[in-house]
Structures are given as C-alpha cells and as structure tokens.
Amino acid sequence: MFAIGYLQEPDSNAGWITFLVLGFFFVMVVVGWLASRGRGERAQAPPEARVHPEEARPADDLTRIEGIGPKVAEVLNKAGVRTFDGLARADPGEVQKLLDEAGLQMMSPEGWIEQAKLAAKGDWNGFERLQGELKGGRKM
C-alpha cells in the first residue's frame, strides 16, 4: 500500500501542472484571436489594395508622364504604383481618390493612363506624340 500512496501523490501535482499549462494555452489562444480580430476591424483597405500594386518590378520614372511631378509620383509609389504598367492598369477613379486623400485635388489622372499604356508597351514615338497633344497631362 505504501507504494500505491507514493505513486498517487505525484499524479495530483501533475494534474495541477497540466491544468495550469492548459489554462495558459487557452488564455494565449483567446488573446491572439482578440488581437487579430481588432486589427482586422481597424484596418481599412490600404491604397495598395485599391490599385494594382507591383512588388517584384523595378520602379519606372513616373515623372516622365506629362502631368506627374515628384509629389504625385511619391503618392503613387506609396500606393504601390511604381511602373508604367501599374499605372496603365490602375482605375482612374481610385487614382483620383489617392490624389484627393493626399491633398492634390487639382490633379487629374485622365491623361496619365493613356500615356502609361504607351510607355508600358515601349511605344515611345506614340508616347511623345500624345504628350505633344497634352498640357499638364490633359488634352488641350
């Protein structure tokens, strides 16, 4: 009987330790779930999700496009539009929203997309012809 009593005592301690470990694990799971849930509710769709972000390509000089200066290029780059192809595929309405949010309401992307399409294809002759018809990125 002494041997049985001796074996039962460590089991009761192991039970408490197991209970504490499982309780700690449960608390960590709940805290992790709450933390991830809170981030999802606070986050609005980032600008990168609203336009076509490009991650693997080297950036183009978007200031080559008539009407885009360094400030606009910076806004586009921060939104994930770093190449002529990315700008060519961007939704003009979403680009306008980005400009409005950046305080550049006077800017208009209407002629930028067409220029970007030509630049993305490498049609530099067509690009230069189109730019000759534009003033500030807009058709005259």
Side-chain angles (χ1 to χ4, degrees):
M1 280 202 173
F2 181 75
I4 294 174
Y6 177 76
L7 293 176
Q8 288 178 347
E9 190 173 320
D11 287 342
S12 63
N13 288 336
W16 278 105
I17 291 173
T18 303
F19 177 77
L20 288 175
V21 169
L22 288 174
F24 179 76
F25 177 76
F26 177 77
V27 168
M28 294 307 295
V29 168
V30 170
V31 167
W33 175 73
L34 290 173
S36 67
R37 184 173 173 234
R39 276 185 301 217
E41 290 176 354
R42 279 185 275 129
Q44 184 183 18
E48 299 89 53
R50 297 187 303 195
V51 293
H52 301 280
E54 307 148 309
E55 296 158 4
R57 294 182 176 177
D60 290 324
D61 182 8
L62 297 179
T63 61
R64 291 185 67 183
I65 292 179
E66 176 74 27
I68 295 182
K71 288 182 183 179
V72 173
E74 184 179 342
V75 168
L76 293 172
N77 284 325
K78 285 181 180 178
V81 178
R82 302 178 313 121
T83 65
F84 297 128
D85 184 56
L87 183 56
R89 294 183 296 120
D91 176 33
E94 293 298 328
V95 173
Q96 186 64 56
K97 285 181 188 176
L98 290 171
L99 296 172
D100 292 346
E101 290 170 4
L104 301 169
Q105 293 88 353
M106 300 302 291
M107 305 301 295
S108 174
E110 62 189 43
W112 304 348
I113 306 292
E114 193 174 353
Q115 292 178 71
K117 288 178 182 177
L118 294 170
K121 289 190 294 188
D123 183 0
W124 297 109
N125 291 330
F127 179 80
E128 290 175 10
R129 270 194 309 275
L130 176 60
Q131 283 191 333
E133 301 171 9
L134 301 173
K135 182 169 183 161
R138 297 178 184 178
K139 290 198 177 191
M140 296 188 282

